[in-house]
Amino acid sequence: LLAAVASLGVGLSGGSFGLHERVVAALTALGPFAVAVGVWWSGGHRVGSRRLRHGLAALVLVVGCVLAGVAATALAPATAHTRTYQATVSLDADPAHVGRIVAETTFGDARVGFSGLAPGIRAVPQVRASIADVLARPQLSLASLRPGPGELDAAVREVATRLLGRFALGALLLVVVVLAVAGGARRRRPPRWLVGAAAASWLVATVGTSAAIYTTYQPSRQQSFTATEVLGTLQRNQGLLGDVETRATQVTPYLRNLLALSTALQQKYAAGALESDPALRVLLVSDVHGGNQYPLMRTVVRDQSIDVVVDTGDLVNFGTAEEGEAAGVFDGIASLGVPYLFVRGNHDATSAGDTALLRRMARVPNVVLLQPPGGGYTEVTVGGVRIAGFDDPRWFGDSGTGTRAAQLPARDAFRAAFAGRTPPDVVASHEPWALAGVEGGVLLNGHMHVSDLEGNRIQVGTFTGGGPFSHFVADDATTSGELEGQGSAFDVLTFGTDCRLSSLTRYRFHDVLEGRPSYDDVSIVNGSGIDTRPADPGRTCTPGGALEQEAVTAPAGPGAP
């Protein structure tokens, strides 16, 4: 019967690799036990002496109790807790995993091997929601996230007690089933020797397995530690994330040289193409993704005389303000000393209605949200140049399907709000498809992590190379464990006194996070080929103008979004 159930379960599992498969494997392992009991009960007991038959039956019962106990932990894993983490733990029936602890994470598996014959242990660690309280604390350090020795000891004791309790109950259930079947077949109480053998088998299986686990999983018996996929790369490069901000500070001299090269190129540019005294200089950045490289950005702002920064979104990775606090990006933004105009990206929220990151950004003194969470939009005027924008309606964890169509409601609402007004000189949004059909002098977006230029749409790459996590990409072609980061990029837009784009200077470099920056390219594009609007003789933009904000709302009435 058990073998038949196991076969059915294998057929229904469809190749899945989760709890269901492990339970099916445990039931499959019980198949030989069922066959052995059946053979013994149906006539095989006539072979050999009575003592030998009873001994073999007890041995089979011990094995069955062990397998049933392991299956019980797979069906109902035990849970251990620390202050900020938790893990579900079960025993592994796979003989190949004897003496091995396997921790499964999103970024790969950690495998620790021990010398011993205890069943394998499989754990799935998770971050508890309470970690948000820790991440929100000032002066956060990596040490504050690590469980202390006392916490770990308590968690180990807790999970060991619960795990062995489930094991004992699973083994006891099998013993009860065997005795019930034996009694039913005889239509009377099961034989006394079988009751004694069953009780002894349960005791041996429970105590023996407990002792094997205790003696095997000791620090002194650890033999190996391996990690797979991204987790393996993290293990080989533990110091990489030690202090991203420090690395950004260390490569500042390199960036200064890059900026000096740009200045030299501009001096050799065709005469009259660039204005000597522009009305506005805009730094365009995007896709910071939790990388605190604001020391680099401060250098750009200072050395390039930047008047305003425009960030087209994806400030963090997982949509929470707590991640931004932990990375220090809010303090980094405040340190720039110039206005920071922001539109939300698809990684800057955890749901369609989540505005936690926007509300936290609104508390940074120099931040201006081009689409505030309260509704409507903010058009900013600096030096006479008008800048507007709208948020990405997507969020971290959404389906990721229909990306282009998902932008249409946000785009249409923005167009309705600005209908009848003079189009802004600059319109910013996160994804390129959001800007299709939007009127404006120049259109700005990020999202793609690659620089692009299409008509009057300027797509900037990622300022931090996609943030720290993008650098944990192992090179499968080699075993060196080197990291492959994306290229980093930012743009500087210069607006002339005619309020049109005068020039676009594009910077690309890589390997800043690794501490070995390399120069890729600096290019200068004449703005007249991008901002093709005719000059307005009655309009003049001047440098040094104060920042002004105007609230813009969509018109009320039938058909309004």
Side-chain angles (χ1 to χ4, degrees):
L1 177 61
L2 286 172
V5 171
S7 300
L8 178 62
V10 171
L12 294 176
S13 65
S16 60
F17 292 91
L19 174 63
H20 177 68
E21 185 194 32
R22 296 200 295 273
V23 173
V24 168
L27 288 173
T28 304
L30 286 172
F33 167 72
V35 173
V37 172
V39 169
W40 173 80
W41 192 263
S42 62
H45 62 284
R46 294 190 178 91
V47 179
S49 67
R50 181 184 300 271
R51 183 173 298 178
L52 176 61
R53 293 196 302 270
H54 290 178
L56 290 175
L59 180 61
V60 170
L61 278 172
V62 170
V63 175
C65 285
V66 171
L67 294 175
V70 171
T73 66
L75 281 169
T79 302
H81 299 87
T82 66
R83 182 168 45 96
T84 51
Y85 303 99
Q86 68 182 35
T88 55
V89 184
S90 60
L91 297 179
D92 195 337
D94 191 339
H97 296 165
V98 168
R100 179 187 296 180
I101 297 177
V102 178
E104 301 174 341
T105 76
T106 305
F107 301 103
D109 295 346
R111 300 170 181 172
V112 189
F114 295 82
S115 59
L117 297 177
I121 295 177
R122 187 174 297 271
V124 182
Q126 297 171 316
V127 178
R128 299 180 68 185
S130 58
I131 199 172
D133 299 331
V134 180
L135 293 174
R137 296 174 185 173
Q139 306 299 324
L140 177 73
S141 66
L142 186 60
S144 64
L145 298 177
R146 294 193 187 107
E151 276 189 284
L152 288 176
D153 289 344
V156 169
R157 287 194 300 270
E158 175 188 18
V159 77
T161 302
R162 294 179 177 179
L163 199 63
L164 293 175
R166 286 162 171 77
F167 179 94
L169 286 175
L172 181 61
L173 179 61
L174 178 69
V175 166
V176 171
V177 170
V178 168
L179 293 178
V181 170
R186 292 163 52 93
R187 295 185 179 180
R188 53 180 174 170
R189 293 181 180 179
R192 185 176 300 175
W193 72 264
L194 183 58
V195 175
S201 299
W202 174 83
L203 187 63
V204 169
T206 303
V207 175
T209 301
S210 302
I213 290 174
Y214 178 77
T215 57
T216 298
Y217 297 115
Q218 294 289 341
S220 60
R221 306 195 70 173
Q222 180 184 340
Q223 291 185 322
S224 63
F225 177 89
T226 58
T228 65
E229 302 177 26
V230 177
L231 195 62
T233 309
L234 280 165
Q235 172 67 18
R236 293 189 295 272
N237 299 272
Q238 293 184 52
L240 186 63
L241 282 178
D243 194 340
V244 176
E245 185 175 6
T246 297
R247 289 181 179 272
T249 303
Q250 291 170 346
V251 301
T252 294
Y254 158 80
L255 187 61
R256 281 211 171 98
N257 292 335
L258 187 62
L259 296 173
L261 173 62
S262 167
T263 302
L265 289 174
Q266 292 189 36
Q267 291 173 350
K268 293 179 184 258
Y269 203 72
L274 301 177
E275 290 213 11
S276 58
D277 190 19
L280 186 69
R281 291 177 65 80
V282 177
L283 172 61
L284 173 59
V285 299
S286 189
D287 296 88
V288 171
H289 283 291
N292 188 2
Q293 294 186 24
Y294 283 95
L296 288 179
M297 199 178 297
R298 285 198 299 272
T299 299
V300 179
V301 168
R302 181 176 59 251
D303 292 0
Q304 294 289 292
S305 302
I306 297 297
D307 299 298
V308 63
V309 177
V310 175
D311 185 339
T312 57
D314 276 4
L315 184 68
V316 295
N317 292 288
F318 310 116
T320 66
E322 288 81 7
E323 182 190 349
E325 295 283 9
V329 295
F330 303 123
D331 292 337
I333 292 171
S335 72
L336 298 178
V338 296
Y340 194 92
L341 314 186
F342 182 75
V343 290
R344 191 181 80 180
N346 61 299
H347 279 262
D348 295 329
T350 58
S351 65
D354 178 29
T355 59
L357 181 71
L358 290 178
R359 293 196 304 272
R360 178 61 184 90
M361 284 287 283
R363 289 161 44 197
V364 181
N366 57 324
V367 167
V368 177
L369 302 178
L370 296 181
Q371 185 175 354
Y377 307 90
T378 299
E379 185 178 62
V380 174
T381 301
V382 187
V385 177
R386 299 190 302 271
I387 305 173
F390 56 99
D391 293 340
D392 191 332
R394 295 179 56 213
W395 63 91
F396 173 73
D398 65 5
S399 65
T401 59
T403 300
R404 295 171 185 259
Q407 305 299 316
L408 299 182
R411 181 202 65 178
D412 293 343
F414 176 83
R415 292 173 64 183
F418 281 80
R421 298 172 59 92
T422 302
D425 301 305
V426 179
V427 178
S429 194
H430 182 61
E431 301 192 26
W433 311 287
L435 296 170
V438 174
E439 290 188 80
V442 292
L443 311 176
L444 310 178
N445 73 273
H447 183 65
M448 305 302 289
H449 292 204
V450 176
S451 300
D452 192 17
L453 181 60
E454 182 180 5
N456 70 331
R457 183 180 63 82
I458 300 171
Q459 177 174 290
V460 66
T462 161
F463 183 75
T464 62
F469 284 107
S470 73
H471 291 249
F472 293 116
V473 180
D475 184 0
D476 294 331
T478 67
T479 58
S480 64
E482 280 292 317
L483 303 182
E484 297 177 345
Q486 301 177 67
S488 302
F490 63 89
D491 295 339
V492 176
L493 290 72
T494 302
F495 288 84
T497 54
D498 61 355
C499 305
R500 296 186 302 167
L501 183 67
S502 172
S503 67
L504 167 66
T505 309
R506 320 205 77 173
Y507 299 83
R508 293 199 300 272
F509 49 97
H510 62 272
D511 292 341
V512 170
L513 192 64
E514 288 86 336
R516 44 187 174 85
S518 300
Y519 160 76
D520 287 337
D521 183 44
V522 175
S523 61
I524 304 174
V525 182
N526 194 319
S528 62
I530 303 173
D531 188 353
T532 58
R533 297 174 298 169
D536 183 355
R539 185 179 176 206
T540 301
C541 290
T542 57
L547 183 144
E548 301 176 358
Q549 301 183 45
E550 179 183 355
V552 180
T553 57

